[in-house]
Amino acid sequence: MIAFQNVSFSYEKERPVLQNLSFSIGDGEAVGLIGANGAGKSTVMKVLLGLLPCEGKVLVDGIEVGHGTLYEIRRKLGFVLQNSDHQMFMPTVYEDMIFGPLNYGASRAEAEAHADAALAQLGIPALKHRHNHKLSGGEKRMAAIATILAMQPEAILMDEPTAALDPYNRRLVINIIRSLNQTKLITSHDLDMIRDTCSRVILLSGGTIAADGDAETILRDRALLEANRMELPLSLQ
Amino acid sequence: MDALAAGSSPVHALCPLAKLFATIIYIVVVVSFGKYDLAGLVPMVLWPVLLFEISGIPVRTCFHKLRFVLPLVLAVGLFNPLFDRAPYLALGGITISGGAVSMVTLMSKGTFCLMASFLLMATTRIDALCAALRRLHVPGIFLTLLLLTYRYVGVMTEEVAIMTDAYKLRAPGQKGVHYTAWGSFLGQLLLRSMDRAEELYAAMRLRGFHDHFHYAEAAPCTAKDAVYLVICIAAFLLLRFVNVAALLGSLLVR
């Protein structure tokens, strides 16, 4: 589904953020992308979505990410931003939800059907006509996920999906992520959440892959995590 | 404004195109009054006041939301009394200059036009308004610009609120932001707003946005909307060409 082939990127020439990164993610896989601050997690997401140009090749479903393919690539990938306020810009949840489908050529009736299905899937139909600026942090996060699901993407990318959520809403989001059947790529410092939702983990360090493999094996490796400025998940301490 | 526009009064239910035309005509009529024609102008306030009443939006909400713009409007004509000192009328024993009358007229015109514009925005959703403008063949790029500006104003005011709170918490006892901090405050505000605007725009592009908004399907104008527009135009023309204030005054004095 997703393939990085020798991908490099830098904001400044002498300080590369990603260096010769190569990995692939299969259909339906749930992958956690972890690493310390500045390891390059968010950059991986942005390169994948075509928001940053890079050296090397990034493929989504065999299509190379490039200027001419962005429309198609972004239809396949749904990205939930870390800050829901940055994602939701229409007055109400419903309008935000139909924004994507309408842009991709759905009729208003189809877009509404997609929106209703996403709201039902997340169990939040009551939020449909609520104003975005009046939602709580947890509701906003759920609504942000719903706006992406309404686009019916083939893969879902999430940047810190549980950041700034209380324990109840965090658990709610974790359960939702687990229930999604799409391919998932999730970046987070919340290693317990990664352990709950992902079967595979890619550990980034200094723009390179420090480890890539079974989530349980990597997340139990105290020495590996500490060598890369991380700690064991709380559930394993 | 979005919350106000989501109301369900008879004014909200009117076709956006009819409301837009009525507002434009109202503004044109208000502006067309002569600079000393204060008596003729004053009855024009009835239209917005009546619609505020019907729409259930308190007039004070309008003035509260426009509190930063109103002083600018009121500043128009502020110097008229200095330049135009010729006596225009006498009230009791007090002589009032033409400059004073023209100043009040200009201020009233500005305030009435603002009230009418606010009323339009408070009773019509922005995308419905854009859909109406699109039907008038206003270029799409202009409407996209309008919608993005409308959205980003909200983003910017949110950032102002966050920064002001952060400032107040570390500057106890100060009223507002001290002038020595204005430069850095504005600079930071600009940078933060740009960052946030870029994030928002990226979020839009990731959901297929290509410089074109899909507006809500505007309800077609019905006979009810046509009647509303005709009544508005008739009332405006009546108030423009018949000095209602003078007429009432002459009836009462007689």
Side-chain angles (χ1 to χ4, degrees):
Chain A
M1 174 84 205
I2 295 168
F4 273 57
Q5 296 174 355
N6 302 314
V7 172
S8 298
F9 174 81
S10 61
Y11 290 101
E12 300 160 31
K13 268 190 178 171
E14 57 278 11
R15 290 181 60 197
V17 181
L18 303 180
Q19 302 180 64
N20 256 348
L21 210 62
S22 294
F23 66 86
S24 59
I25 298 172
D27 278 340
E29 254 194 302
V31 179
L33 193 61
I34 63 171
N37 291 131
K41 304 183 298 292
S42 298
T43 308
V44 165
M45 294 285 201
K46 287 181 178 172
V47 164
L48 176 56
L49 291 158
L51 290 173
L52 293 174
C54 66
E55 289 171 31
K57 264 188 185 179
V58 180
L59 303 165
V60 176
D61 248 358
I63 304 165
E64 187 171 349
V65 176
H67 191 69
T69 57
L70 287 182
Y71 192 72
E72 205 174 341
I73 295 288
R74 289 171 181 173
R75 182 178 207 152
K76 291 173 180 288
L77 305 174
F79 183 42
V80 182
L81 273 71
Q82 179 178 351
N83 190 336
S84 308
D85 280 327
H86 293 180
Q87 181 159 342
M88 317 266 289
F89 46 85
M90 299 297 273
T92 64
V93 172
Y94 166 66
E95 283 164 290
D96 233 306
M97 291 186 73
I98 62 170
F99 178 81
L102 286 178
N103 282 328
Y104 279 108
S107 68
R108 200 158 277 270
E110 286 168 342
E112 179 153 12
H114 292 174
D116 284 339
L119 289 168
Q121 185 182 352
L122 301 186
I124 51 168
L127 297 187
K128 184 174 177 181
H129 293 296
R130 293 272 302 276
H131 282 268
N132 285 335
H133 68 278
K134 289 186 177 169
L135 298 178
S136 70
E139 287 172 333
K140 225 176 254 183
R141 188 63 50 87
M142 302 286 273
I145 296 173
T147 63
I148 296 306
L149 289 182
M151 290 175 62
Q152 303 188 312
E154 291 171 30
I156 295 183
L157 317 180
M158 293 180 161
D159 191 6
E160 297 281 0
T162 53
L165 291 184
D166 63 37
Y168 174 81
N169 281 306
R170 177 180 169 277
R171 180 50 55 190
L172 219 55
V173 169
I174 288 173
N175 289 339
I176 283 165
I177 295 172
R178 286 165 67 106
S179 72
L180 301 174
N181 298 320
Q182 289 95 335
T183 306
K184 287 168 274 189
L185 179 61
I186 303 167
T187 72
S188 184
H189 294 294
D190 181 352
L191 299 188
D192 288 286
M193 182 273 289
I194 293 288
R195 190 168 173 238
D196 275 350
T197 55
C198 301
S199 55
R200 178 182 159 198
V201 159
I202 297 174
L203 171 58
L204 285 183
S205 180
T208 59
I209 294 177
D212 180 356
D214 175 56
E216 203 60 23
T217 311
I218 290 175
L219 294 176
R220 282 179 182 277
D221 191 336
R222 181 192 294 266
L224 174 70
L225 293 174
E226 287 182 355
N228 290 286
R229 291 166 43 205
M230 305 196 78
E231 287 181 347
L232 282 177
L234 287 171
S235 55
L236 293 176
Q237 284 181 13
Chain B
M1 291 302 286
D2 286 329
L4 287 176
S8 57
S9 74
V11 183
H12 287 85
L14 286 166
C15 161
L17 206 55
K19 283 189 274 187
L20 180 67
F21 274 131
T23 306
I24 291 171
I25 296 167
Y26 175 81
I27 290 172
V28 169
V29 170
V30 164
V31 171
S32 73
F33 277 89
K35 65 177 180 178
Y36 300 126
D37 195 2
L38 184 58
L41 177 67
V42 168
M44 288 299 290
V45 79
L46 291 175
W47 184 73
V49 168
L50 184 68
L51 289 192
F52 272 116
E53 194 56 39
I54 297 171
S55 63
I57 298 169
V59 181
R60 67 171 181 277
T61 307
C62 165
F63 288 108
H64 178 71
K65 289 202 181 285
L66 297 176
R67 64 191 181 281
F68 297 115
V69 188
L70 271 172
L72 299 175
V73 171
L74 295 178
V76 175
L78 209 57
F79 295 105
N80 283 22
L82 298 177
F83 297 119
D84 181 2
R85 297 181 185 188
Y88 183 74
L89 61 94
L91 277 179
I94 304 166
T95 306
I96 297 173
S97 70
V101 174
S102 65
M103 178 186 75
V104 177
T105 307
L106 280 173
M107 286 176 173
S108 303
K109 281 184 184 182
T111 309
F112 294 175
C113 292
L114 266 185
M115 285 170 78
S117 307
F118 176 85
L119 196 62
L120 175 68
M121 296 300 293
T123 57
T124 318
R125 294 161 48 85
I126 184 74
D127 54 343
L129 197 61
C130 285
L133 289 168
R134 197 79 192 95
R135 284 167 71 180
L136 294 177
H137 300 288
V138 172
I141 189 77
F142 173 77
L143 298 180
T144 299
L145 205 62
L146 179 72
L147 268 173
L148 287 177
T149 307
Y150 185 80
R151 297 278 170 249
Y152 285 144
V153 165
V155 170
M156 206 157 174
T157 47
E158 263 179 45
E159 288 298 336
V160 170
I162 293 168
M163 285 178 66
T164 312
D165 285 347
Y167 181 90
K168 278 182 194 162
L169 291 171
R170 287 189 291 155
Q174 277 189 28
K175 279 188 178 174
V177 178
H178 194 263
Y179 74 89
T180 53
W182 284 1
S184 54
F185 195 88
L186 281 175
Q188 282 298 317
L189 173 65
L190 185 67
L191 291 174
R192 290 168 64 131
S193 305
M194 278 167 63
D195 278 350
R196 205 164 151 198
E198 272 178 20
E199 282 261 315
L200 272 171
Y201 187 59
M204 290 165 73
R205 281 193 297 155
L206 292 177
R207 285 195 274 158
F209 178 71
H210 279 272
D211 308 329
H212 171 69
F213 274 100
H214 295 268
Y215 313 108
E217 283 153 18
C221 289
T222 59
K224 175 189 71 176
D225 301 306
V227 168
Y228 166 77
L229 193 57
V230 168
I231 290 174
C232 283
I233 293 171
F236 298 158
L237 292 178
L238 177 78
L239 293 171
R240 177 66 187 89
F241 295 110
V242 178
N243 192 332
V244 178
L247 194 69
L248 283 175
S250 65
L251 286 175
L252 290 173
V253 169
R254 194 185 303 162

